[in-house]
Amino acid sequence: MHHRVIVPRSSSVHRFACLALYRALLRQCNQISSTAPKLSAAESHIRDRFRRYKNLQSPSQTANALKAGYEVRNSKLLFATAG
């Protein structure tokens, strides 16, 4: 039996999940007051991380990166950095 190697980038399900996480994190930034001094830094950090990790091909590295993103989205960490 041959094991199929799935490259995360070429999976439409993976792309949809990543895009949904990206948008959710940016929306979470927009919920913070626009006068928050670190707001643009948080948005820049999110964009930078997604750009940096867009070429990951290792399933375990991809899973770790997504897990970190979901942990931030589900926590109040983003809100804590704004104040």
Side-chain angles (χ1 to χ4, degrees):
M1 176 160 141
H2 294 280
H3 291 282
R4 236 176 93 187
V5 175
I6 298 173
V7 178
R9 281 185 354 171
S10 63
S11 165
S12 60
V13 173
H14 168 76
R15 291 167 60 89
F16 181 81
C18 288
L19 187 56
L21 177 60
Y22 180 74
R23 288 178 177 165
L25 289 170
L26 290 179
R27 265 194 307 270
Q28 193 169 351
C29 282
N30 288 332
Q31 291 174 358
I32 301 169
S33 170
S34 61
T35 60
K38 296 183 182 178
L39 176 63
S40 63
E43 287 177 342
S44 295
H45 182 73
I46 291 166
R47 287 186 177 101
D48 176 60
R49 290 297 171 151
F50 273 83
R51 253 186 247 116
R52 181 184 301 175
Y53 295 139
K54 77 177 183 177
N55 293 320
L56 285 181
Q57 294 195 17
S58 164
S60 62
Q61 288 178 335
T62 301
N64 288 337
L66 287 172
K67 181 180 175 187
Y70 283 117
E71 286 174 359
V72 169
R73 190 200 68 187
N74 294 333
S75 72
K76 298 299 178 195
L77 190 61
L78 230 124
F79 289 107
T81 61

